[in-house]
Amino acid sequence: MLYLIGLGLSYKSDITVRGLEAVRNCQRVYLEHYTSILMAASLEELEEYYGKPIILADRELVETGSDDILRDAKKEDVAFLVVGDPFGATTHTDLVLRAKKSGIPVEVVHNASVMNAVGSCGLQLYTFGQTISMVFFTENWRPDSWYDKIMENRKIGLHTLVLLDIKVKEQSIENMARGRLIYEPPRYMSISQCCEQLLEIEETRGTKAYTPATPAVAISRLGSAAQSFKAGTIEELSQYDSGEPLHSLVILGRQCHDLEVEYLLEFADNKEKFRQDVIADQEFFKPAPWTPPVETDD
Ligand SMILES: C[S@@+](CC[C@H](N)C(=O)[O-])C[C@H]1O[C@@H](n2cnc3c(N)ncnc32)[C@H](O)[C@@H]1O
């Protein structure tokens, strides 16, 4: 059996009871180690808690070495641990499809994900649109296809969850080109860098999917003891020091309910200004007021 087990967002004890029982019964345990990190537990602490050695699964192992992970899984139990939920944001459907093709039964143990815990900032999950990923820009690679998705969300009034790039085990281009297995230190995108990239692309595109004055909320270390939120405009948040990772950002949609705004005010430095920023932003993409059809004599 292949078990895909969600670890939740922060603590070693965030794993569910069913997940923990499954891990303890598995012959091999992999921890997916490139799309997220468990903020409040080290590898050694997890190994002690599960009573099992853990194999770190980097992108290369999961994407090109899945035969290794699935080896003997028809006869043995193998656990593939994912921080958050196994199908939250990064879906591990490829691994599941490969397992199924090889006749290996699969069981999923779900857990909390950034995709639902983000609701703790006070915005309604029902009014979120497409989620986007913001990658680190490089000198000659500044992808911006996410811009169109923000535009689509904002046109129909929906909030946009922005997930921020993390690089846990990456080679530099030079090392990759030379085939040297030397890895860069881990990097996590901050809220200010994400907002700067948002502002840069708005300036290039100029079609006002959002503006520097668009309200947003920074969400840091969700689910941990150091969880924090900051509400402000994209421009204000481009100056914000968000501290230790992990971070996400939500760009507000036009359909912002009064209760959502009231909740967010708690996280704003200047509450009255933030309220006015939200009101001003709601003018964007507002449908034209309804006018009755003109009556004709015939
Ligand atoms: C590719 S997603 C993986 C999501 C994970 N599988 C889950 O279900 O939560 C990783 C990104 O989600 C966001 N994220 C994950 N956990 C977070 C947390 N606890 N607080 C803030 N952002 C988080 C960060 O932007 C991070 O780079």
Side-chain angles (χ1 to χ4, degrees):
M1 171 82 81
L2 171 71
Y3 286 94
L4 261 78
I5 302 172
L7 297 189
L9 292 173
S10 185
Y11 300 96
K12 64 183 183 192
S13 51
D14 281 344
I15 190 170
T16 62
V17 174
R18 191 159 72 88
L20 186 59
E21 284 171 355
V23 180
R24 287 185 172 156
N25 287 325
C26 281
Q27 276 72 44
R28 265 178 298 130
V29 180
Y30 293 88
L31 171 62
E32 190 263 77
H33 185 57
Y34 60 95
T35 66
S36 202
I37 51 161
L38 204 59
M39 291 173 291
S42 66
L43 182 68
E44 294 71 31
E45 285 169 320
L46 288 183
E47 288 184 323
E48 198 192 329
Y49 191 59
Y50 304 151
K52 295 266 163 187
I54 294 174
I55 306 161
L56 285 182
D58 57 20
R59 188 186 295 278
E60 206 182 327
L61 179 60
V62 177
E63 289 178 0
T64 58
S66 59
D67 288 351
D68 245 17
I69 299 176
L70 299 177
R71 178 174 37 88
D72 296 332
K74 267 191 200 164
K75 300 175 281 174
E76 295 181 340
D77 287 331
V78 174
F80 185 75
L81 310 179
V82 180
V83 174
D85 185 87
F87 293 107
T90 325
T91 60
H92 288 287
T93 43
D94 194 45
L95 186 64
V96 174
L97 284 174
R98 279 168 199 262
K100 286 186 175 170
K101 273 191 196 137
S102 313
I104 298 165
V106 177
E107 194 172 317
V108 180
V109 184
H110 291 287
N111 211 316
S113 165
V114 63
M115 302 285 289
N116 65 277
V118 68
S120 59
C121 75
L123 294 172
Q124 298 279 344
L125 292 181
Y126 277 30
T127 43
F128 276 70
Q130 304 165 86
T131 296
I132 63 162
S133 293
M134 178 67 75
V135 299
F136 283 112
F137 284 179
T138 65
E139 211 175 315
N140 36 29
W141 192 61
R142 303 172 102 72
D144 66 358
S145 55
W146 42 263
Y147 182 91
D148 303 313
K149 295 188 178 171
I150 302 180
M151 178 69 102
E152 287 169 4
N153 288 346
R154 297 253 304 158
K155 271 190 177 161
I156 52 170
L158 302 179
H159 310 310
T160 306
L161 172 62
V162 187
L163 300 177
L164 278 51
D165 203 2
I166 67 175
K167 299 243 179 277
V168 177
K169 191 184 171 195
E170 300 281 330
Q171 286 167 282
S172 66
I173 305 225
E174 198 195 337
N175 283 330
M176 204 185 297
R178 290 171 191 259
R180 293 191 293 228
L181 288 180
I182 300 172
Y183 299 98
E184 300 296 300
R187 285 196 298 151
Y188 306 92
M189 188 182 286
S190 66
I191 293 292
S192 59
Q193 183 165 9
C194 170
C195 289
E196 277 165 20
Q197 294 191 182
L198 281 167
L199 294 174
E200 175 188 318
I201 297 303
E202 179 52 68
E203 197 158 329
T204 322
R205 295 275 200 119
T207 46
K208 291 200 167 57
Y210 50 87
T211 74
T214 295
V217 52
I219 295 161
S220 298
R221 303 167 294 276
L222 197 53
S224 78
Q227 164 176 298
S228 82
F229 303 98
K230 178 63 75 187
T233 63
I234 295 178
E235 179 142 62
E236 285 162 358
L237 293 177
S238 72
Q239 309 291 323
Y240 168 60
D241 177 2
S242 50
E244 295 291 306
L246 296 165
H247 310 286
S248 298
L249 182 82
V250 181
I251 302 172
L252 266 61
R254 170 177 46 79
Q255 249 179 49
C256 212
H257 190 273
D258 288 349
L259 276 180
E260 294 182 302
V261 181
E262 194 181 323
Y263 207 97
L264 288 179
L265 289 181
E266 190 192 329
F267 313 129
D269 287 338
N270 182 337
K271 296 186 184 3
E272 197 37 47
K273 178 180 178 299
F274 186 74
R275 190 193 291 282
Q276 292 309 323
D277 288 337
V278 173
I279 293 170
D281 187 69
Q282 289 186 350
E283 290 306 313
F284 279 88
F285 310 117
K286 215 174 199 173
W290 184 79
T291 47
V294 181
E295 286 189 21
T296 54
D297 291 340
D298 44 66

